Amino acid sequence: MELLAIDFLGKPLRLEGSMAGWQQLFWDNTLVSQIAAAPTDTNQFTHQFELLNNEQTIQCQLNGTLSWQPFLIHYQVSADQQMVAQGERNDKDIERQQPQQPITPEKRFSLIGLASLGMKALKSAKLIKVVLASASLAAYSWLFSIQFALALLACLVFHEYGHIRAMKYFGMKTKGIYLIPFFGGLALSDEKINTRWQDVVISIMGPAFGLIMSLACMIAYWITGEMFFAGLAVFNALLNLFNLLPILPLDGGHVLKSISFSMNSKIGIIACALAAVAGVILSYRLGLTLFGFLLIMGSLEIIFEWRQRHQSHLLPLDRYGQIFSTVWYVSLVAAFIGIIAYFASLGDSLLSLPLQILGT
């Protein structure tokens, strides 16, 4: 990931690195110094390099201290033993940065290139959103009913709008919401995330908005007694609960992966594994057999990939972020299960169906 980007002697100086310990220093996109991954953790680093500027050789040095959790980097850059720049960067600076993008060589005309350009233009057009939304409405109406289709699309749009709001909170440009028949919805952005915290917030805000919708429908049911609101509340709760399963590319998979991969010790992954076991036991005790089985599969996927966490370009969560994200995630799961169980207790066969599905 990009740790530092400043102007140095009239050209950009960029420091890339990862939690594994390796660092690469670029001056005007030319590699001038690097540090290999180290088995031991150290928060101090030094890069010594020579630059040729205006036919003069300049002895340069970049040194500083680096802490990953919480993220903080102090740096000093000198040229011929004269201080040129110094400062510090924290996690908020990483969130706002626009990482250096490699220059794509210009390609000659080709049918493949023309088709790719056409697909990009089509994806950015408003027309494709209307077409996909109409296709989704027609497909779900054909399978079920127009009322159910409209309710389902409302659930999907409100869920995806939560992702959009989170992206905008971090200053990311968004392309909007795309409804895809038999797949669900997508909230797209032109920009990539830089931190695990961004990944958690953007992922979990969809189910969080889904919870708001279920609670609003529940209140509407209490006030009016209309079964439509009860059905929408419990169906939306089931939809978002499945989205919180710890399986990629679902939102729950992104959340738990960000939490697990931010743990920088064996104690962390042991705690994650114990929490997963506890979740599985609780799921089977509550009769949520399907949820417990999928929790096992998702947890195994995260554990198997855990060793590669240091190679990620995403800034990890600090301890506070790990705890807060875990509590947020567990609270949402508990809230959705509570809503499903409440409506199942009313004795209506249709309202009991989501709980029966979870117990399959």
PDB file of all heavy atoms in Angstrom, residues 19 68-69 196-197 200 255-256 258-265 268-269 271 316-329:
ATOM      1  N   MET A  19       2.466  -4.831   5.795  1.00  0.00           N
ATOM      2  CA  MET A  19       2.703  -5.302   7.158  1.00  0.00           C
ATOM      3  C   MET A  19       3.753  -6.398   7.208  1.00  0.00           C
ATOM      4  O   MET A  19       4.306  -6.684   8.266  1.00  0.00           O
ATOM      5  CB  MET A  19       1.388  -5.804   7.763  1.00  0.00           C
ATOM      6  CG  MET A  19       0.389  -4.712   8.070  1.00  0.00           C
ATOM      7  SD  MET A  19      -1.097  -5.358   8.887  1.00  0.00           S
ATOM      8  CE  MET A  19      -0.411  -5.889  10.461  1.00  0.00           C
ATOM      9  N   TRP A  68       1.708   0.288  12.703  1.00  0.00           N
ATOM     10  CA  TRP A  68       0.573  -0.165  11.903  1.00  0.00           C
ATOM     11  C   TRP A  68      -0.751  -0.099  12.663  1.00  0.00           C
ATOM     12  O   TRP A  68      -1.790   0.154  12.081  1.00  0.00           O
ATOM     13  CB  TRP A  68       0.813  -1.598  11.420  1.00  0.00           C
ATOM     14  CG  TRP A  68       1.795  -1.686  10.299  1.00  0.00           C
ATOM     15  CD1 TRP A  68       3.104  -2.041  10.380  1.00  0.00           C
ATOM     16  CD2 TRP A  68       1.553  -1.408   8.911  1.00  0.00           C
ATOM     17  NE1 TRP A  68       3.697  -2.000   9.141  1.00  0.00           N
ATOM     18  CE2 TRP A  68       2.762  -1.616   8.214  1.00  0.00           C
ATOM     19  CE3 TRP A  68       0.429  -0.995   8.193  1.00  0.00           C
ATOM     20  CZ2 TRP A  68       2.883  -1.439   6.848  1.00  0.00           C
ATOM     21  CZ3 TRP A  68       0.537  -0.817   6.820  1.00  0.00           C
ATOM     22  CH2 TRP A  68       1.747  -1.027   6.164  1.00  0.00           C
ATOM     23  N   GLN A  69      -0.737  -0.397  13.953  1.00  0.00           N
ATOM     24  CA  GLN A  69      -1.987  -0.452  14.730  1.00  0.00           C
ATOM     25  C   GLN A  69      -1.814   0.286  16.051  1.00  0.00           C
ATOM     26  O   GLN A  69      -1.262  -0.278  17.001  1.00  0.00           O
ATOM     27  CB  GLN A  69      -2.380  -1.906  14.978  1.00  0.00           C
ATOM     28  CG  GLN A  69      -2.764  -2.644  13.712  1.00  0.00           C
ATOM     29  CD  GLN A  69      -3.043  -4.112  13.951  1.00  0.00           C
ATOM     30  OE1 GLN A  69      -2.298  -4.767  14.679  1.00  0.00           O
ATOM     31  NE2 GLN A  69      -4.085  -4.636  13.347  1.00  0.00           N
ATOM     32  N   ARG A 196      -9.019  -1.211   5.804  1.00  0.00           N
ATOM     33  CA  ARG A 196      -9.971  -2.223   6.244  1.00  0.00           C
ATOM     34  C   ARG A 196     -11.207  -1.566   6.869  1.00  0.00           C
ATOM     35  O   ARG A 196     -12.310  -2.102   6.789  1.00  0.00           O
ATOM     36  CB  ARG A 196      -9.309  -3.151   7.272  1.00  0.00           C
ATOM     37  CG  ARG A 196      -8.186  -4.007   6.724  1.00  0.00           C
ATOM     38  CD  ARG A 196      -8.711  -5.137   5.884  1.00  0.00           C
ATOM     39  NE  ARG A 196      -7.626  -6.024   5.435  1.00  0.00           N
ATOM     40  CZ  ARG A 196      -7.770  -6.985   4.546  1.00  0.00           C
ATOM     41  NH1 ARG A 196      -8.968  -7.182   4.002  1.00  0.00           N
ATOM     42  NH2 ARG A 196      -6.763  -7.737   4.185  1.00  0.00           N
ATOM     43  N   TRP A 197     -11.028  -0.414   7.510  1.00  0.00           N
ATOM     44  CA  TRP A 197     -12.155   0.284   8.108  1.00  0.00           C
ATOM     45  C   TRP A 197     -13.153   0.721   7.045  1.00  0.00           C
ATOM     46  O   TRP A 197     -14.365   0.607   7.229  1.00  0.00           O
ATOM     47  CB  TRP A 197     -11.664   1.489   8.914  1.00  0.00           C
ATOM     48  CG  TRP A 197     -12.757   2.333   9.496  1.00  0.00           C
ATOM     49  CD1 TRP A 197     -13.031   3.638   9.217  1.00  0.00           C
ATOM     50  CD2 TRP A 197     -13.738   1.928  10.463  1.00  0.00           C
ATOM     51  NE1 TRP A 197     -14.112   4.078   9.936  1.00  0.00           N
ATOM     52  CE2 TRP A 197     -14.566   3.053  10.712  1.00  0.00           C
ATOM     53  CE3 TRP A 197     -14.000   0.736  11.136  1.00  0.00           C
ATOM     54  CZ2 TRP A 197     -15.633   3.000  11.612  1.00  0.00           C
ATOM     55  CZ3 TRP A 197     -15.061   0.687  12.030  1.00  0.00           C
ATOM     56  CH2 TRP A 197     -15.852   1.804  12.257  1.00  0.00           C
ATOM     57  N   VAL A 200     -15.096  -2.352   6.060  1.00  0.00           N
ATOM     58  CA  VAL A 200     -16.097  -2.722   7.058  1.00  0.00           C
ATOM     59  C   VAL A 200     -17.315  -1.815   6.969  1.00  0.00           C
ATOM     60  O   VAL A 200     -18.457  -2.278   6.894  1.00  0.00           O
ATOM     61  CB  VAL A 200     -15.498  -2.670   8.478  1.00  0.00           C
ATOM     62  CG1 VAL A 200     -16.598  -2.744   9.527  1.00  0.00           C
ATOM     63  CG2 VAL A 200     -14.512  -3.815   8.683  1.00  0.00           C
ATOM     64  N   VAL A 255     -16.740  -8.122   6.057  1.00  0.00           N
ATOM     65  CA  VAL A 255     -16.589  -7.620   7.424  1.00  0.00           C
ATOM     66  C   VAL A 255     -15.686  -8.536   8.243  1.00  0.00           C
ATOM     67  O   VAL A 255     -14.701  -8.087   8.851  1.00  0.00           O
ATOM     68  CB  VAL A 255     -17.966  -7.481   8.100  1.00  0.00           C
ATOM     69  CG1 VAL A 255     -17.794  -7.123   9.576  1.00  0.00           C
ATOM     70  CG2 VAL A 255     -18.808  -6.422   7.405  1.00  0.00           C
ATOM     71  N   LEU A 256     -15.999  -9.827   8.264  1.00  0.00           N
ATOM     72  CA  LEU A 256     -15.223 -10.753   9.078  1.00  0.00           C
ATOM     73  C   LEU A 256     -13.804 -10.930   8.544  1.00  0.00           C
ATOM     74  O   LEU A 256     -12.863 -11.146   9.311  1.00  0.00           O
ATOM     75  CB  LEU A 256     -15.931 -12.098   9.144  1.00  0.00           C
ATOM     76  CG  LEU A 256     -17.212 -12.121   9.986  1.00  0.00           C
ATOM     77  CD1 LEU A 256     -17.717 -13.538  10.158  1.00  0.00           C
ATOM     78  CD2 LEU A 256     -17.005 -11.484  11.345  1.00  0.00           C
ATOM     79  N   SER A 258     -12.043  -8.531   7.085  1.00  0.00           N
ATOM     80  CA  SER A 258     -11.314  -7.338   7.508  1.00  0.00           C
ATOM     81  C   SER A 258     -10.934  -7.420   8.980  1.00  0.00           C
ATOM     82  O   SER A 258      -9.833  -7.031   9.371  1.00  0.00           O
ATOM     83  CB  SER A 258     -12.162  -6.086   7.253  1.00  0.00           C
ATOM     84  OG  SER A 258     -12.256  -5.813   5.870  1.00  0.00           O
ATOM     85  N   ILE A 259     -11.854  -7.935   9.811  1.00  0.00           N
ATOM     86  CA  ILE A 259     -11.550  -8.076  11.232  1.00  0.00           C
ATOM     87  C   ILE A 259     -10.444  -9.099  11.446  1.00  0.00           C
ATOM     88  O   ILE A 259      -9.462  -8.842  12.150  1.00  0.00           O
ATOM     89  CB  ILE A 259     -12.817  -8.487  12.014  1.00  0.00           C
ATOM     90  CG1 ILE A 259     -13.871  -7.383  11.943  1.00  0.00           C
ATOM     91  CG2 ILE A 259     -12.472  -8.784  13.472  1.00  0.00           C
ATOM     92  CD1 ILE A 259     -15.212  -7.776  12.525  1.00  0.00           C
ATOM     93  N   SER A 260     -10.587 -10.260  10.835  1.00  0.00           N
ATOM     94  CA  SER A 260      -9.621 -11.345  11.038  1.00  0.00           C
ATOM     95  C   SER A 260      -8.250 -10.985  10.501  1.00  0.00           C
ATOM     96  O   SER A 260      -7.228 -11.227  11.152  1.00  0.00           O
ATOM     97  CB  SER A 260     -10.126 -12.620  10.350  1.00  0.00           C
ATOM     98  OG  SER A 260     -11.386 -13.007  10.844  1.00  0.00           O
ATOM     99  N   PHE A 261      -8.209 -10.381   9.313  1.00  0.00           N
ATOM    100  CA  PHE A 261      -6.923 -10.083   8.688  1.00  0.00           C
ATOM    101  C   PHE A 261      -6.221  -8.900   9.344  1.00  0.00           C
ATOM    102  O   PHE A 261      -5.062  -8.629   9.037  1.00  0.00           O
ATOM    103  CB  PHE A 261      -7.107  -9.824   7.202  1.00  0.00           C
ATOM    104  CG  PHE A 261      -7.340 -11.074   6.397  1.00  0.00           C
ATOM    105  CD1 PHE A 261      -7.831 -12.219   6.995  1.00  0.00           C
ATOM    106  CD2 PHE A 261      -7.067 -11.121   5.050  1.00  0.00           C
ATOM    107  CE1 PHE A 261      -8.050 -13.378   6.274  1.00  0.00           C
ATOM    108  CE2 PHE A 261      -7.284 -12.274   4.310  1.00  0.00           C
ATOM    109  CZ  PHE A 261      -7.778 -13.400   4.930  1.00  0.00           C
ATOM    110  N   SER A 262      -6.912  -8.192  10.215  1.00  0.00           N
ATOM    111  CA  SER A 262      -6.276  -7.086  10.942  1.00  0.00           C
ATOM    112  C   SER A 262      -5.608  -7.570  12.217  1.00  0.00           C
ATOM    113  O   SER A 262      -4.880  -6.809  12.861  1.00  0.00           O
ATOM    114  CB  SER A 262      -7.305  -6.011  11.283  1.00  0.00           C
ATOM    115  OG  SER A 262      -7.832  -5.420  10.113  1.00  0.00           O
ATOM    116  N   MET A 263      -5.876  -8.805  12.611  1.00  0.00           N
ATOM    117  CA  MET A 263      -5.260  -9.357  13.812  1.00  0.00           C
ATOM    118  C   MET A 263      -3.832  -9.759  13.500  1.00  0.00           C
ATOM    119  O   MET A 263      -3.588 -10.569  12.620  1.00  0.00           O
ATOM    120  CB  MET A 263      -6.068 -10.561  14.314  1.00  0.00           C
ATOM    121  CG  MET A 263      -7.467 -10.200  14.737  1.00  0.00           C
ATOM    122  SD  MET A 263      -8.424 -11.649  15.261  1.00  0.00           S
ATOM    123  CE  MET A 263      -9.985 -10.860  15.716  1.00  0.00           C
ATOM    124  N   ASN A 264      -2.905  -9.206  14.248  1.00  0.00           N
ATOM    125  CA  ASN A 264      -1.487  -9.346  13.910  1.00  0.00           C
ATOM    126  C   ASN A 264      -0.772 -10.355  14.802  1.00  0.00           C
ATOM    127  O   ASN A 264       0.416 -10.246  15.031  1.00  0.00           O
ATOM    128  CB  ASN A 264      -0.790  -7.984  14.006  1.00  0.00           C
ATOM    129  CG  ASN A 264       0.540  -7.970  13.289  1.00  0.00           C
ATOM    130  OD1 ASN A 264       0.760  -8.746  12.369  1.00  0.00           O
ATOM    131  ND2 ASN A 264       1.439  -7.110  13.724  1.00  0.00           N
ATOM    132  N   SER A 265      -1.513 -11.317  15.333  1.00  0.00           N
ATOM    133  CA  SER A 265      -0.876 -12.321  16.181  1.00  0.00           C
ATOM    134  C   SER A 265      -1.666 -13.619  16.108  1.00  0.00           C
ATOM    135  O   SER A 265      -2.810 -13.651  15.660  1.00  0.00           O
ATOM    136  CB  SER A 265      -0.817 -11.835  17.637  1.00  0.00           C
ATOM    137  OG  SER A 265      -2.132 -11.712  18.161  1.00  0.00           O
ATOM    138  N   GLY A 268      -4.891 -13.619  17.925  1.00  0.00           N
ATOM    139  CA  GLY A 268      -6.023 -13.043  17.209  1.00  0.00           C
ATOM    140  C   GLY A 268      -6.779 -14.084  16.413  1.00  0.00           C
ATOM    141  O   GLY A 268      -8.012 -14.147  16.475  1.00  0.00           O
ATOM    142  N   ILE A 269      -6.071 -14.920  15.655  1.00  0.00           N
ATOM    143  CA  ILE A 269      -6.760 -15.909  14.834  1.00  0.00           C
ATOM    144  C   ILE A 269      -7.366 -17.004  15.701  1.00  0.00           C
ATOM    145  O   ILE A 269      -8.409 -17.574  15.372  1.00  0.00           O
ATOM    146  CB  ILE A 269      -5.800 -16.524  13.777  1.00  0.00           C
ATOM    147  CG1 ILE A 269      -6.608 -17.277  12.705  1.00  0.00           C
ATOM    148  CG2 ILE A 269      -4.772 -17.410  14.430  1.00  0.00           C
ATOM    149  CD1 ILE A 269      -7.572 -16.429  11.937  1.00  0.00           C
ATOM    150  N   ALA A 271      -8.619 -16.432  18.707  1.00  0.00           N
ATOM    151  CA  ALA A 271      -9.847 -15.813  19.204  1.00  0.00           C
ATOM    152  C   ALA A 271     -10.931 -15.817  18.136  1.00  0.00           C
ATOM    153  O   ALA A 271     -12.111 -16.051  18.428  1.00  0.00           O
ATOM    154  CB  ALA A 271      -9.557 -14.382  19.666  1.00  0.00           C
ATOM    155  N   PRO A 316      -4.750  -2.111   8.015  1.00  0.00           N
ATOM    156  CA  PRO A 316      -5.561  -2.941   8.922  1.00  0.00           C
ATOM    157  C   PRO A 316      -6.284  -2.113   9.986  1.00  0.00           C
ATOM    158  O   PRO A 316      -5.939  -0.963  10.257  1.00  0.00           O
ATOM    159  CB  PRO A 316      -4.513  -3.861   9.559  1.00  0.00           C
ATOM    160  CG  PRO A 316      -3.245  -3.070   9.511  1.00  0.00           C
ATOM    161  CD  PRO A 316      -3.301  -2.282   8.225  1.00  0.00           C
ATOM    162  N   LEU A 317      -7.283  -2.728  10.583  1.00  0.00           N
ATOM    163  CA  LEU A 317      -8.003  -2.120  11.703  1.00  0.00           C
ATOM    164  C   LEU A 317      -7.114  -2.114  12.940  1.00  0.00           C
ATOM    165  O   LEU A 317      -6.340  -3.046  13.167  1.00  0.00           O
ATOM    166  CB  LEU A 317      -9.268  -2.915  12.015  1.00  0.00           C
ATOM    167  CG  LEU A 317     -10.365  -2.986  10.942  1.00  0.00           C
ATOM    168  CD1 LEU A 317     -11.368  -4.069  11.327  1.00  0.00           C
ATOM    169  CD2 LEU A 317     -11.051  -1.643  10.786  1.00  0.00           C
ATOM    170  N   ASP A 318      -7.242  -1.064  13.762  1.00  0.00           N
ATOM    171  CA  ASP A 318      -6.573  -1.105  15.057  1.00  0.00           C
ATOM    172  C   ASP A 318      -7.442  -1.899  16.027  1.00  0.00           C
ATOM    173  O   ASP A 318      -8.509  -2.396  15.672  1.00  0.00           O
ATOM    174  CB  ASP A 318      -6.297   0.313  15.573  1.00  0.00           C
ATOM    175  CG  ASP A 318      -7.563   1.158  15.677  1.00  0.00           C
ATOM    176  OD1 ASP A 318      -8.672   0.586  15.719  1.00  0.00           O
ATOM    177  OD2 ASP A 318      -7.459   2.398  15.705  1.00  0.00           O
ATOM    178  N   ARG A 319      -7.016  -2.031  17.275  1.00  0.00           N
ATOM    179  CA  ARG A 319      -7.747  -2.854  18.240  1.00  0.00           C
ATOM    180  C   ARG A 319      -9.161  -2.328  18.460  1.00  0.00           C
ATOM    181  O   ARG A 319     -10.122  -3.096  18.551  1.00  0.00           O
ATOM    182  CB  ARG A 319      -6.988  -2.895  19.568  1.00  0.00           C
ATOM    183  CG  ARG A 319      -5.674  -3.640  19.485  1.00  0.00           C
ATOM    184  CD  ARG A 319      -5.900  -5.130  19.262  1.00  0.00           C
ATOM    185  NE  ARG A 319      -4.623  -5.838  19.159  1.00  0.00           N
ATOM    186  CZ  ARG A 319      -4.077  -6.224  18.024  1.00  0.00           C
ATOM    187  NH1 ARG A 319      -4.689  -5.966  16.879  1.00  0.00           N
ATOM    188  NH2 ARG A 319      -2.937  -6.864  18.004  1.00  0.00           N
ATOM    189  N   TYR A 320      -9.288  -1.005  18.571  1.00  0.00           N
ATOM    190  CA  TYR A 320     -10.610  -0.421  18.749  1.00  0.00           C
ATOM    191  C   TYR A 320     -11.501  -0.738  17.551  1.00  0.00           C
ATOM    192  O   TYR A 320     -12.674  -1.097  17.716  1.00  0.00           O
ATOM    193  CB  TYR A 320     -10.495   1.092  18.934  1.00  0.00           C
ATOM    194  CG  TYR A 320     -11.820   1.810  18.885  1.00  0.00           C
ATOM    195  CD1 TYR A 320     -12.672   1.817  19.990  1.00  0.00           C
ATOM    196  CD2 TYR A 320     -12.236   2.476  17.730  1.00  0.00           C
ATOM    197  CE1 TYR A 320     -13.893   2.468  19.945  1.00  0.00           C
ATOM    198  CE2 TYR A 320     -13.467   3.121  17.678  1.00  0.00           C
ATOM    199  CZ  TYR A 320     -14.280   3.120  18.795  1.00  0.00           C
ATOM    200  OH  TYR A 320     -15.497   3.756  18.738  1.00  0.00           O
ATOM    201  N   GLY A 321     -10.953  -0.621  16.352  1.00  0.00           N
ATOM    202  CA  GLY A 321     -11.723  -0.907  15.150  1.00  0.00           C
ATOM    203  C   GLY A 321     -12.150  -2.354  15.080  1.00  0.00           C
ATOM    204  O   GLY A 321     -13.269  -2.662  14.652  1.00  0.00           O
ATOM    205  N   GLN A 322     -11.285  -3.277  15.517  1.00  0.00           N
ATOM    206  CA  GLN A 322     -11.636  -4.692  15.517  1.00  0.00           C
ATOM    207  C   GLN A 322     -12.792  -4.971  16.473  1.00  0.00           C
ATOM    208  O   GLN A 322     -13.751  -5.680  16.129  1.00  0.00           O
ATOM    209  CB  GLN A 322     -10.424  -5.530  15.911  1.00  0.00           C
ATOM    210  CG  GLN A 322      -9.280  -5.474  14.901  1.00  0.00           C
ATOM    211  CD  GLN A 322      -8.021  -6.121  15.426  1.00  0.00           C
ATOM    212  OE1 GLN A 322      -8.063  -7.009  16.277  1.00  0.00           O
ATOM    213  NE2 GLN A 322      -6.876  -5.676  14.942  1.00  0.00           N
ATOM    214  N   ILE A 323     -12.710  -4.416  17.681  1.00  0.00           N
ATOM    215  CA  ILE A 323     -13.752  -4.642  18.686  1.00  0.00           C
ATOM    216  C   ILE A 323     -15.068  -4.013  18.246  1.00  0.00           C
ATOM    217  O   ILE A 323     -16.136  -4.634  18.315  1.00  0.00           O
ATOM    218  CB  ILE A 323     -13.311  -4.085  20.061  1.00  0.00           C
ATOM    219  CG1 ILE A 323     -12.094  -4.864  20.570  1.00  0.00           C
ATOM    220  CG2 ILE A 323     -14.457  -4.164  21.063  1.00  0.00           C
ATOM    221  CD1 ILE A 323     -11.480  -4.285  21.819  1.00  0.00           C
ATOM    222  N   PHE A 324     -15.001  -2.759  17.784  1.00  0.00           N
ATOM    223  CA  PHE A 324     -16.213  -2.049  17.370  1.00  0.00           C
ATOM    224  C   PHE A 324     -16.884  -2.766  16.199  1.00  0.00           C
ATOM    225  O   PHE A 324     -18.117  -2.928  16.182  1.00  0.00           O
ATOM    226  CB  PHE A 324     -15.858  -0.615  16.981  1.00  0.00           C
ATOM    227  CG  PHE A 324     -17.062   0.233  16.642  1.00  0.00           C
ATOM    228  CD1 PHE A 324     -17.754   0.902  17.642  1.00  0.00           C
ATOM    229  CD2 PHE A 324     -17.498   0.349  15.335  1.00  0.00           C
ATOM    230  CE1 PHE A 324     -18.867   1.679  17.328  1.00  0.00           C
ATOM    231  CE2 PHE A 324     -18.608   1.114  15.008  1.00  0.00           C
ATOM    232  CZ  PHE A 324     -19.290   1.780  16.020  1.00  0.00           C
ATOM    233  N   SER A 325     -16.098  -3.203  15.223  1.00  0.00           N
ATOM    234  CA  SER A 325     -16.653  -3.887  14.057  1.00  0.00           C
ATOM    235  C   SER A 325     -17.302  -5.207  14.456  1.00  0.00           C
ATOM    236  O   SER A 325     -18.365  -5.575  13.939  1.00  0.00           O
ATOM    237  CB  SER A 325     -15.554  -4.137  13.025  1.00  0.00           C
ATOM    238  OG  SER A 325     -14.972  -2.918  12.591  1.00  0.00           O
ATOM    239  N   THR A 326     -16.672  -5.939  15.380  1.00  0.00           N
ATOM    240  CA  THR A 326     -17.226  -7.215  15.838  1.00  0.00           C
ATOM    241  C   THR A 326     -18.564  -7.008  16.544  1.00  0.00           C
ATOM    242  O   THR A 326     -19.539  -7.726  16.275  1.00  0.00           O
ATOM    243  CB  THR A 326     -16.243  -7.920  16.787  1.00  0.00           C
ATOM    244  OG1 THR A 326     -14.996  -8.134  16.107  1.00  0.00           O
ATOM    245  CG2 THR A 326     -16.800  -9.249  17.257  1.00  0.00           C
ATOM    246  N   VAL A 327     -18.606  -6.031  17.452  1.00  0.00           N
ATOM    247  CA  VAL A 327     -19.849  -5.746  18.181  1.00  0.00           C
ATOM    248  C   VAL A 327     -20.948  -5.304  17.215  1.00  0.00           C
ATOM    249  O   VAL A 327     -22.113  -5.721  17.331  1.00  0.00           O
ATOM    250  CB  VAL A 327     -19.610  -4.673  19.259  1.00  0.00           C
ATOM    251  CG1 VAL A 327     -20.931  -4.235  19.898  1.00  0.00           C
ATOM    252  CG2 VAL A 327     -18.660  -5.198  20.330  1.00  0.00           C
ATOM    253  N   TRP A 328     -20.582  -4.469  16.251  1.00  0.00           N
ATOM    254  CA  TRP A 328     -21.541  -3.988  15.246  1.00  0.00           C
ATOM    255  C   TRP A 328     -22.113  -5.147  14.437  1.00  0.00           C
ATOM    256  O   TRP A 328     -23.325  -5.257  14.240  1.00  0.00           O
ATOM    257  CB  TRP A 328     -20.844  -2.981  14.338  1.00  0.00           C
ATOM    258  CG  TRP A 328     -21.747  -2.143  13.484  1.00  0.00           C
ATOM    259  CD1 TRP A 328     -23.122  -2.177  13.443  1.00  0.00           C
ATOM    260  CD2 TRP A 328     -21.354  -1.135  12.546  1.00  0.00           C
ATOM    261  NE1 TRP A 328     -23.595  -1.262  12.546  1.00  0.00           N
ATOM    262  CE2 TRP A 328     -22.537  -0.611  11.983  1.00  0.00           C
ATOM    263  CE3 TRP A 328     -20.122  -0.643  12.137  1.00  0.00           C
ATOM    264  CZ2 TRP A 328     -22.510   0.398  11.014  1.00  0.00           C
ATOM    265  CZ3 TRP A 328     -20.089   0.368  11.180  1.00  0.00           C
ATOM    266  CH2 TRP A 328     -21.275   0.876  10.629  1.00  0.00           C
ATOM    267  N   TYR A 329     -21.227  -6.036  14.007  1.00  0.00           N
ATOM    268  CA  TYR A 329     -21.643  -7.183  13.199  1.00  0.00           C
ATOM    269  C   TYR A 329     -22.557  -8.120  13.996  1.00  0.00           C
ATOM    270  O   TYR A 329     -23.639  -8.503  13.530  1.00  0.00           O
ATOM    271  CB  TYR A 329     -20.404  -7.933  12.714  1.00  0.00           C
ATOM    272  CG  TYR A 329     -20.700  -9.220  11.980  1.00  0.00           C
ATOM    273  CD1 TYR A 329     -21.053  -9.216  10.638  1.00  0.00           C
ATOM    274  CD2 TYR A 329     -20.628 -10.449  12.646  1.00  0.00           C
ATOM    275  CE1 TYR A 329     -21.323 -10.396   9.965  1.00  0.00           C
ATOM    276  CE2 TYR A 329     -20.907 -11.629  11.979  1.00  0.00           C
ATOM    277  CZ  TYR A 329     -21.251 -11.596  10.643  1.00  0.00           C
ATOM    278  OH  TYR A 329     -21.533 -12.772   9.992  1.00  0.00           O
TER     279      TYR A 329
END
